[in-house]
Amino acid sequence: MKFLTQLMLCIGLSSCIVYVNESSDAPAERPRPVVTRPAFDVLIRGGTVYDGSGAPGQIADVGVIEDRVAALGDLSSATADLTVDATGHAVSPGFINILSWAPEALLVDGRSMSDIKQGVTLEVFGEGWSYGPFNDTMKQQAVAGQGDFKYDIDWTSFGEFLSSLERRGVSANIASFVGATTVRVHELGYEDRPPTASELERMVSLVKEAMEEGALGVGSSLIYAPAFFAETEELIALVTAAGEYGGGYITHMRSEGTGFLEGIEETITIAEEADTWAQIYHFKPGGEANWGKHGAGIALLEAARSKGLDITANMYTYTAGSTGLSAAMPPWVQEGGISAWIKRLKDPSIRSQLIEEMQGPGDGWENLYYDAGGPENVLLVGFKNEALKPLTGKTVADVAAERGVSAEEVMMDLVIEDGSRVQAVYFLMSEENVRKNVAWPHMMFGSDGSSVAAEGPALLSQPHPRTYGNFARLLGKYVREEKIIPLEEAIHRLTGLSAKQLRIEDRGCLNVSCYADIVVFDPDTIIDRSTYADPHQYAEGVRDVFVNGIGVLRDTEHTGATPGRIVYGPGKRHNLEAEAEPS
């Protein structure tokens, strides 16, 4: 009687070489080998592997099959479709940009060049404003507000936006919080008033819908109108709804200056009342008069953590912030949106009142112009109006001198002439506090910037250098040069710790079964090159980047691949898992 025997020789955890022997009762001759496929799709050899846990690196090989890490260790006898020699390089999970403003750029160019070249494989959106849920009015306003990046809005809901971005093609993975500002505008517009009971109920419903569509939680940005108009109780209601799905609260606090400590206390209150986790965006006391509050702020966070509250923070690695000239004017003048704001700025009596308010610390509002210490410390970096673009790179003081008017009048006039909030860089922070932030073990990292190519529409403005250098600056300046924290700790903060905080599964790790988001970089050369005067310069030192197992950066050059996916929050994941269960 004939029988079929198979001997399977497996390499690692991958595919096998199958020896087939078809024979009679007599012993068979030497079996003939049939090779089913190479062992791995990608094999990264000889690098120092950091798994994202904070453990020291170990020299090892990494084998990838499809979109997952399949094996780690000595894979010297394995074969692969693509073999990458990582000798002398660090191999780590892809970095998580926990505060990204990349959506507009990615809708136009999905390559995510400035972040991919730093090893970022996940962009996280939602600082107060998310790209859904929209209504018809919000869509019209969004189109009218577009600047150098033009794109169609083919979505309405929160989930439809993420799907639209994924469908267009992105090189990095994407995730988002739902914006507290967005749901407020959806129901109240730009009015300065509390929501009615029915309006708040609808806002809560919008948060729940977004959570079911994949949101990570609720994000707020409370120094800006109309977010400024929201009371603490309103935010607690929204965050409580997110918390029911496992989502958290992430916030640009109501104050990062005079009311820095009070802003932390409000954040703690919201998280405690909502019974969920929280994170503070770009943790910093702004303005020299407030720099000394940093230690007290950390103490408040540590005290809350000691009581069981999971509260952390993130930062960018620079001493200047970037936002609109809106942050130099009180929220009351901005009520009603850009048209109402501009109308008020044209009123002589209002202008006189504004000049007086802009020259002080802000009575209950955050005046970044005052905190910067003067118009020479406010750099103009982004305009919509072509006629104003020659002012890009000048300070408010420069333009005031050219026009022969006060700095306050210049800022009001520029908003009128540009029809926008006008993007600016404010020099606000202490380098000593930046170093203290890096040292705090619960600090994560976000660029608070876009992700652009140094070509095309991006060149029409002059972004903050954090757009091109935030993560490379951490690893080059603060890790290698200043040795504030070791490399394995920095990688942990950029990967495993961030993924844990966001409640993201199988990302931020480099172990068997983790998604194959992998960066290969040289820890001896990685550094930022972007400057305030010449920002459009890519960081150096990252050689290879893989997203979901696909090479996006190879030998420092972008491959054009766009394998990025939506990374869903816990509400959507729960629904997907329930749908996958057998009936």
Side-chain angles (χ1 to χ4, degrees), residues 211-267:
M211 292 302 301
E212 292 174 359
E213 293 169 345
L216 301 172
V218 171
S220 70
S221 50
L222 300 177
I223 73 166
Y224 305 108
F228 177 86
F229 306 140
E231 298 293 339
T232 304
E233 291 73 19
E234 176 183 323
L235 295 165
I236 290 172
L238 300 183
V239 178
T240 298
E244 293 172 1
Y245 293 83
Y249 177 53
I250 192 164
T251 181
H252 180 144
M253 300 185 301
R254 202 174 297 273
S255 175
E256 297 175 336
T258 303
F260 177 65
L261 300 179
E262 292 81 357
I264 296 172
E265 289 170 345
E266 182 188 35
T267 303

Short mmCIF file of all heavy atoms in Angstrom, two decimals, residues 211-267:
data_model
loop_
_atom_site.label_atom_id
_atom_site.label_comp_id
_atom_site.label_asym_id
_atom_site.label_seq_id
_atom_site.Cartn_x
_atom_site.Cartn_y
_atom_site.Cartn_z
N MET A 211 -16.73 57.55 19.31
CA MET A 211 -16.05 56.45 20.01
C MET A 211 -16.34 55.13 19.32
O MET A 211 -15.43 54.29 19.14
CB MET A 211 -16.48 56.40 21.47
CG MET A 211 -16.01 57.57 22.32
SD MET A 211 -14.21 57.78 22.36
CE MET A 211 -13.68 56.21 23.04
N GLU A 212 -17.56 54.93 18.91
CA GLU A 212 -17.92 53.69 18.21
C GLU A 212 -17.28 53.62 16.83
O GLU A 212 -17.10 52.53 16.27
CB GLU A 212 -19.44 53.58 18.11
CG GLU A 212 -20.10 53.35 19.46
CD GLU A 212 -21.62 53.38 19.41
OE1 GLU A 212 -22.17 53.62 18.30
OE2 GLU A 212 -22.26 53.19 20.46
N GLU A 213 -16.90 54.78 16.28
CA GLU A 213 -16.23 54.83 14.97
C GLU A 213 -14.72 54.80 15.10
O GLU A 213 -14.02 54.84 14.08
CB GLU A 213 -16.67 56.09 14.22
CG GLU A 213 -18.14 56.07 13.81
CD GLU A 213 -18.64 57.40 13.30
OE1 GLU A 213 -17.95 58.43 13.51
OE2 GLU A 213 -19.73 57.42 12.70
N GLY A 214 -14.19 54.76 16.33
CA GLY A 214 -12.76 54.57 16.49
C GLY A 214 -12.00 55.65 17.21
O GLY A 214 -10.77 55.59 17.28
N ALA A 215 -12.66 56.67 17.77
CA ALA A 215 -11.94 57.72 18.48
C ALA A 215 -11.22 57.16 19.70
O ALA A 215 -11.65 56.18 20.32
CB ALA A 215 -12.90 58.82 18.91
N LEU A 216 -10.12 57.80 20.07
CA LEU A 216 -9.33 57.40 21.23
C LEU A 216 -9.87 58.01 22.52
O LEU A 216 -9.51 57.58 23.61
CB LEU A 216 -7.88 57.84 21.05
CG LEU A 216 -7.14 57.29 19.82
CD1 LEU A 216 -5.79 57.97 19.68
CD2 LEU A 216 -6.98 55.78 19.92
N GLY A 217 -10.70 59.03 22.38
CA GLY A 217 -11.23 59.76 23.52
C GLY A 217 -11.62 61.15 23.08
O GLY A 217 -11.87 61.39 21.89
N VAL A 218 -11.65 62.08 24.01
CA VAL A 218 -12.01 63.47 23.74
C VAL A 218 -10.77 64.35 23.90
O VAL A 218 -10.03 64.23 24.89
CB VAL A 218 -13.11 63.96 24.70
CG1 VAL A 218 -13.33 65.47 24.58
CG2 VAL A 218 -14.43 63.23 24.42
N GLY A 219 -10.54 65.24 22.92
CA GLY A 219 -9.46 66.21 22.99
C GLY A 219 -10.01 67.62 23.10
O GLY A 219 -11.00 67.95 22.46
N SER A 220 -9.36 68.46 23.91
CA SER A 220 -9.80 69.85 24.04
C SER A 220 -8.62 70.81 23.86
O SER A 220 -7.47 70.43 24.03
CB SER A 220 -10.46 70.09 25.40
OG SER A 220 -9.51 70.05 26.45
N SER A 221 -8.95 72.06 23.53
CA SER A 221 -7.94 73.12 23.41
C SER A 221 -8.59 74.40 23.94
O SER A 221 -9.22 75.15 23.20
CB SER A 221 -7.47 73.29 21.97
OG SER A 221 -8.57 73.41 21.09
N LEU A 222 -8.43 74.63 25.23
CA LEU A 222 -9.32 75.53 25.97
C LEU A 222 -8.90 76.99 25.98
O LEU A 222 -9.63 77.81 26.52
CB LEU A 222 -9.48 75.01 27.40
CG LEU A 222 -10.07 73.59 27.51
CD1 LEU A 222 -10.12 73.16 28.97
CD2 LEU A 222 -11.45 73.52 26.89
N ILE A 223 -7.77 77.34 25.39
CA ILE A 223 -7.44 78.78 25.36
C ILE A 223 -8.10 79.47 24.16
O ILE A 223 -8.13 80.69 24.09
CB ILE A 223 -5.92 79.04 25.34
CG1 ILE A 223 -5.30 78.70 23.97
CG2 ILE A 223 -5.22 78.32 26.47
CD1 ILE A 223 -3.89 79.25 23.80
N TYR A 224 -8.60 78.68 23.21
CA TYR A 224 -9.12 79.25 21.97
C TYR A 224 -10.64 79.35 21.99
O TYR A 224 -11.33 78.47 22.50
CB TYR A 224 -8.71 78.39 20.78
CG TYR A 224 -7.22 78.15 20.68
CD1 TYR A 224 -6.68 76.90 20.97
CD2 TYR A 224 -6.36 79.16 20.30
CE1 TYR A 224 -5.32 76.67 20.88
CE2 TYR A 224 -5.00 78.94 20.21
CZ TYR A 224 -4.46 77.70 20.50
OH TYR A 224 -3.12 77.48 20.42
N ALA A 225 -11.17 80.43 21.39
CA ALA A 225 -12.61 80.50 21.15
C ALA A 225 -12.94 79.56 20.00
O ALA A 225 -12.18 79.47 19.04
CB ALA A 225 -13.01 81.93 20.79
N PRO A 226 -14.08 78.82 20.07
CA PRO A 226 -15.10 78.83 21.10
C PRO A 226 -14.87 77.82 22.23
O PRO A 226 -15.71 77.72 23.13
CB PRO A 226 -16.36 78.50 20.33
CG PRO A 226 -15.88 77.52 19.30
CD PRO A 226 -14.50 78.00 18.90
N ALA A 227 -13.78 77.05 22.18
CA ALA A 227 -13.53 76.07 23.25
C ALA A 227 -13.45 76.75 24.61
O ALA A 227 -13.88 76.19 25.63
CB ALA A 227 -12.24 75.32 22.96
N PHE A 228 -12.92 77.96 24.63
CA PHE A 228 -12.78 78.75 25.85
C PHE A 228 -14.12 78.92 26.56
O PHE A 228 -14.17 79.04 27.80
CB PHE A 228 -12.19 80.12 25.49
CG PHE A 228 -12.06 81.08 26.63
CD1 PHE A 228 -10.94 81.05 27.45
CD2 PHE A 228 -13.05 82.01 26.89
CE1 PHE A 228 -10.81 81.94 28.51
CE2 PHE A 228 -12.93 82.91 27.95
CZ PHE A 228 -11.81 82.87 28.76
N PHE A 229 -15.21 78.94 25.80
CA PHE A 229 -16.54 79.20 26.37
C PHE A 229 -17.12 78.00 27.11
O PHE A 229 -18.13 78.12 27.79
CB PHE A 229 -17.51 79.64 25.27
CG PHE A 229 -17.03 80.81 24.44
CD1 PHE A 229 -17.23 80.83 23.06
CD2 PHE A 229 -16.36 81.87 25.03
CE1 PHE A 229 -16.78 81.91 22.30
CE2 PHE A 229 -15.91 82.95 24.28
CZ PHE A 229 -16.12 82.97 22.90
N ALA A 230 -16.50 76.83 26.97
CA ALA A 230 -17.02 75.62 27.61
C ALA A 230 -16.68 75.61 29.09
O ALA A 230 -15.52 75.82 29.48
CB ALA A 230 -16.45 74.38 26.93
N GLU A 231 -17.67 75.33 29.93
CA GLU A 231 -17.43 75.20 31.36
C GLU A 231 -16.94 73.78 31.68
O GLU A 231 -17.08 72.86 30.88
CB GLU A 231 -18.72 75.50 32.13
CG GLU A 231 -19.25 76.92 31.94
CD GLU A 231 -18.35 77.98 32.54
OE1 GLU A 231 -17.54 77.65 33.44
OE2 GLU A 231 -18.44 79.15 32.11
N THR A 232 -16.38 73.64 32.87
CA THR A 232 -15.85 72.35 33.29
C THR A 232 -16.90 71.25 33.24
O THR A 232 -16.62 70.12 32.81
CB THR A 232 -15.28 72.46 34.72
OG1 THR A 232 -14.30 73.50 34.76
CG2 THR A 232 -14.64 71.16 35.16
N GLU A 233 -18.12 71.57 33.64
CA GLU A 233 -19.19 70.56 33.68
C GLU A 233 -19.50 70.03 32.29
O GLU A 233 -19.79 68.84 32.11
CB GLU A 233 -20.45 71.16 34.31
CG GLU A 233 -20.34 71.46 35.79
CD GLU A 233 -19.46 72.68 36.09
OE1 GLU A 233 -19.24 73.50 35.16
OE2 GLU A 233 -19.00 72.80 37.23
N GLU A 234 -19.45 70.89 31.29
CA GLU A 234 -19.68 70.45 29.91
C GLU A 234 -18.62 69.44 29.49
O GLU A 234 -18.91 68.41 28.89
CB GLU A 234 -19.64 71.67 28.98
CG GLU A 234 -19.76 71.36 27.50
CD GLU A 234 -19.64 72.61 26.64
OE1 GLU A 234 -20.12 73.68 27.06
OE2 GLU A 234 -19.03 72.53 25.56
N LEU A 235 -17.36 69.73 29.83
CA LEU A 235 -16.27 68.83 29.47
C LEU A 235 -16.38 67.51 30.20
O LEU A 235 -16.12 66.44 29.61
CB LEU A 235 -14.93 69.51 29.77
CG LEU A 235 -14.64 70.77 28.94
CD1 LEU A 235 -13.50 71.56 29.54
CD2 LEU A 235 -14.35 70.40 27.50
N ILE A 236 -16.77 67.55 31.46
CA ILE A 236 -16.95 66.30 32.22
C ILE A 236 -17.98 65.41 31.54
O ILE A 236 -17.79 64.19 31.43
CB ILE A 236 -17.35 66.61 33.67
CG1 ILE A 236 -16.17 67.24 34.42
CG2 ILE A 236 -17.83 65.34 34.38
CD1 ILE A 236 -16.53 67.76 35.80
N ALA A 237 -19.07 66.01 31.07
CA ALA A 237 -20.12 65.22 30.41
C ALA A 237 -19.58 64.53 29.15
O ALA A 237 -19.86 63.35 28.90
CB ALA A 237 -21.31 66.11 30.07
N LEU A 238 -18.80 65.25 28.36
CA LEU A 238 -18.27 64.68 27.12
C LEU A 238 -17.24 63.59 27.42
O LEU A 238 -17.24 62.52 26.79
CB LEU A 238 -17.63 65.78 26.27
CG LEU A 238 -18.52 66.93 25.82
CD1 LEU A 238 -17.74 67.89 24.93
CD2 LEU A 238 -19.77 66.44 25.10
N VAL A 239 -16.36 63.86 28.38
CA VAL A 239 -15.31 62.90 28.69
C VAL A 239 -15.89 61.65 29.36
O VAL A 239 -15.41 60.53 29.13
CB VAL A 239 -14.21 63.55 29.56
CG1 VAL A 239 -13.14 62.54 29.94
CG2 VAL A 239 -13.59 64.73 28.81
N THR A 240 -16.91 61.83 30.15
CA THR A 240 -17.58 60.67 30.76
C THR A 240 -18.12 59.74 29.68
O THR A 240 -18.00 58.51 29.79
CB THR A 240 -18.72 61.13 31.68
OG1 THR A 240 -18.18 61.92 32.74
CG2 THR A 240 -19.47 59.93 32.27
N ALA A 241 -18.69 60.32 28.63
CA ALA A 241 -19.21 59.50 27.52
C ALA A 241 -18.09 58.72 26.86
O ALA A 241 -18.24 57.53 26.53
CB ALA A 241 -19.91 60.40 26.50
N ALA A 242 -16.93 59.37 26.66
CA ALA A 242 -15.79 58.67 26.07
C ALA A 242 -15.28 57.58 27.00
O ALA A 242 -14.91 56.48 26.56
CB ALA A 242 -14.67 59.65 25.75
N GLY A 243 -15.26 57.87 28.30
CA GLY A 243 -14.76 56.91 29.26
C GLY A 243 -15.56 55.63 29.32
O GLY A 243 -15.03 54.56 29.65
N GLU A 244 -16.85 55.71 28.98
CA GLU A 244 -17.69 54.51 28.96
C GLU A 244 -17.21 53.50 27.93
O GLU A 244 -17.51 52.31 28.03
CB GLU A 244 -19.14 54.90 28.67
CG GLU A 244 -19.79 55.71 29.80
CD GLU A 244 -21.16 56.25 29.41
OE1 GLU A 244 -21.60 55.98 28.26
OE2 GLU A 244 -21.77 56.94 30.23
N TYR A 245 -16.43 53.97 26.94
CA TYR A 245 -15.90 53.10 25.89
C TYR A 245 -14.41 52.81 26.10
O TYR A 245 -13.77 52.20 25.25
CB TYR A 245 -16.08 53.76 24.52
CG TYR A 245 -17.51 53.90 24.08
CD1 TYR A 245 -18.29 54.97 24.51
CD2 TYR A 245 -18.09 52.96 23.24
CE1 TYR A 245 -19.61 55.11 24.10
CE2 TYR A 245 -19.41 53.09 22.80
CZ TYR A 245 -20.16 54.16 23.25
OH TYR A 245 -21.47 54.29 22.84
N GLY A 246 -13.86 53.26 27.21
CA GLY A 246 -12.43 53.08 27.45
C GLY A 246 -11.57 54.21 26.95
O GLY A 246 -10.34 54.14 27.00
N GLY A 247 -12.22 55.27 26.43
CA GLY A 247 -11.47 56.42 25.93
C GLY A 247 -11.03 57.34 27.05
O GLY A 247 -11.51 57.26 28.18
N GLY A 248 -10.12 58.26 26.75
CA GLY A 248 -9.57 59.17 27.74
C GLY A 248 -9.80 60.62 27.38
O GLY A 248 -10.58 60.96 26.49
N TYR A 249 -9.08 61.48 28.08
CA TYR A 249 -9.17 62.93 27.91
C TYR A 249 -7.78 63.48 27.69
O TYR A 249 -6.87 63.24 28.49
CB TYR A 249 -9.80 63.56 29.14
CG TYR A 249 -9.89 65.07 29.10
CD1 TYR A 249 -10.48 65.74 28.03
CD2 TYR A 249 -9.40 65.85 30.16
CE1 TYR A 249 -10.57 67.11 27.99
CE2 TYR A 249 -9.49 67.24 30.15
CZ TYR A 249 -10.08 67.87 29.06
OH TYR A 249 -10.17 69.25 29.01
N ILE A 250 -7.60 64.23 26.61
CA ILE A 250 -6.32 64.85 26.31
C ILE A 250 -6.57 66.33 26.05
O ILE A 250 -7.52 66.69 25.35
CB ILE A 250 -5.64 64.14 25.11
CG1 ILE A 250 -4.18 64.58 24.96
CG2 ILE A 250 -6.42 64.30 23.82
CD1 ILE A 250 -3.35 63.67 24.06
N THR A 251 -5.75 67.21 26.64
CA THR A 251 -6.14 68.61 26.66
C THR A 251 -4.98 69.59 26.53
O THR A 251 -3.93 69.42 27.14
CB THR A 251 -6.90 68.93 27.96
OG1 THR A 251 -7.30 70.31 27.96
CG2 THR A 251 -6.06 68.66 29.19
N HIS A 252 -5.22 70.62 25.71
CA HIS A 252 -4.49 71.88 25.81
C HIS A 252 -5.24 72.67 26.88
O HIS A 252 -6.35 73.14 26.66
CB HIS A 252 -4.51 72.61 24.47
CG HIS A 252 -3.80 73.93 24.47
ND1 HIS A 252 -3.08 74.38 23.40
CD2 HIS A 252 -3.69 74.90 25.41
CE1 HIS A 252 -2.57 75.57 23.66
NE2 HIS A 252 -2.93 75.90 24.89
N MET A 253 -4.64 72.79 28.04
CA MET A 253 -5.35 73.29 29.22
C MET A 253 -5.85 74.72 29.04
O MET A 253 -5.40 75.45 28.16
CB MET A 253 -4.44 73.22 30.44
CG MET A 253 -3.95 71.84 30.79
SD MET A 253 -3.01 71.84 32.33
CE MET A 253 -1.66 72.98 31.95
N ARG A 254 -6.73 75.10 29.94
CA ARG A 254 -7.31 76.45 29.90
C ARG A 254 -6.25 77.53 30.08
O ARG A 254 -6.41 78.67 29.64
CB ARG A 254 -8.40 76.57 30.95
CG ARG A 254 -9.41 77.67 30.67
CD ARG A 254 -10.54 77.64 31.67
NE ARG A 254 -11.32 76.43 31.61
CZ ARG A 254 -12.36 76.23 30.80
NH1 ARG A 254 -12.70 77.17 29.94
NH2 ARG A 254 -13.04 75.10 30.84
N SER A 255 -5.17 77.18 30.72
CA SER A 255 -4.05 78.12 30.85
C SER A 255 -2.75 77.36 30.91
O SER A 255 -2.64 76.34 31.60
CB SER A 255 -4.19 78.99 32.11
OG SER A 255 -3.04 79.81 32.27
N GLU A 256 -1.75 77.89 30.20
CA GLU A 256 -0.38 77.40 30.30
C GLU A 256 0.54 78.54 30.77
O GLU A 256 1.75 78.45 30.64
CB GLU A 256 0.10 76.86 28.96
CG GLU A 256 -0.69 75.66 28.48
CD GLU A 256 -0.28 75.20 27.09
OE1 GLU A 256 0.27 76.02 26.31
OE2 GLU A 256 -0.51 74.02 26.79
N GLY A 257 -0.09 79.59 31.30
CA GLY A 257 0.67 80.74 31.75
C GLY A 257 0.34 81.09 33.17
O GLY A 257 0.64 80.35 34.11
N THR A 258 -0.33 82.23 33.35
CA THR A 258 -0.67 82.70 34.70
C THR A 258 -1.46 81.66 35.48
O THR A 258 -1.26 81.44 36.67
CB THR A 258 -1.46 84.01 34.62
OG1 THR A 258 -0.69 84.98 33.90
CG2 THR A 258 -1.77 84.56 36.00
N GLY A 259 -2.39 80.99 34.80
CA GLY A 259 -3.23 79.98 35.44
C GLY A 259 -2.76 78.56 35.20
O GLY A 259 -3.57 77.63 35.18
N PHE A 260 -1.45 78.38 35.04
CA PHE A 260 -0.88 77.07 34.73
C PHE A 260 -1.30 76.01 35.75
O PHE A 260 -1.77 74.92 35.39
CB PHE A 260 0.65 77.20 34.70
CG PHE A 260 1.41 75.93 34.47
CD1 PHE A 260 1.31 75.24 33.27
CD2 PHE A 260 2.25 75.42 35.45
CE1 PHE A 260 2.02 74.07 33.04
CE2 PHE A 260 2.99 74.27 35.23
CZ PHE A 260 2.86 73.59 34.04
N LEU A 261 -1.15 76.30 37.01
CA LEU A 261 -1.47 75.32 38.06
C LEU A 261 -2.97 75.08 38.14
O LEU A 261 -3.43 73.94 38.32
CB LEU A 261 -0.92 75.78 39.40
CG LEU A 261 0.60 75.98 39.46
CD1 LEU A 261 1.03 76.45 40.84
CD2 LEU A 261 1.34 74.70 39.08
N GLU A 262 -3.76 76.14 37.95
CA GLU A 262 -5.21 75.99 37.94
C GLU A 262 -5.67 75.14 36.75
O GLU A 262 -6.62 74.36 36.88
CB GLU A 262 -5.87 77.36 37.91
CG GLU A 262 -5.70 78.19 39.16
CD GLU A 262 -4.36 78.93 39.25
OE1 GLU A 262 -3.52 78.76 38.35
OE2 GLU A 262 -4.15 79.66 40.22
N GLY A 263 -4.98 75.29 35.62
CA GLY A 263 -5.30 74.45 34.47
C GLY A 263 -5.06 72.97 34.74
O GLY A 263 -5.84 72.12 34.34
N ILE A 264 -3.96 72.67 35.43
CA ILE A 264 -3.69 71.28 35.80
C ILE A 264 -4.78 70.77 36.74
O ILE A 264 -5.27 69.64 36.58
CB ILE A 264 -2.30 71.17 36.47
CG1 ILE A 264 -1.19 71.54 35.48
CG2 ILE A 264 -2.07 69.76 37.01
CD1 ILE A 264 0.19 71.64 36.09
N GLU A 265 -5.16 71.58 37.70
CA GLU A 265 -6.19 71.16 38.65
C GLU A 265 -7.52 70.89 37.95
O GLU A 265 -8.21 69.91 38.28
CB GLU A 265 -6.35 72.24 39.73
CG GLU A 265 -5.16 72.30 40.68
CD GLU A 265 -5.19 73.51 41.59
OE1 GLU A 265 -5.99 74.45 41.30
OE2 GLU A 265 -4.43 73.55 42.58
N GLU A 266 -7.88 71.72 36.97
CA GLU A 266 -9.12 71.46 36.23
C GLU A 266 -9.02 70.15 35.46
O GLU A 266 -9.98 69.36 35.42
CB GLU A 266 -9.44 72.61 35.27
CG GLU A 266 -10.76 72.38 34.54
CD GLU A 266 -11.03 73.39 33.45
OE1 GLU A 266 -10.06 73.84 32.78
OE2 GLU A 266 -12.22 73.72 33.22
N THR A 267 -7.88 69.90 34.85
CA THR A 267 -7.68 68.65 34.11
C THR A 267 -7.85 67.45 35.02
O THR A 267 -8.51 66.46 34.67
CB THR A 267 -6.29 68.64 33.46
OG1 THR A 267 -6.14 69.78 32.61
CG2 THR A 267 -6.08 67.37 32.66
#
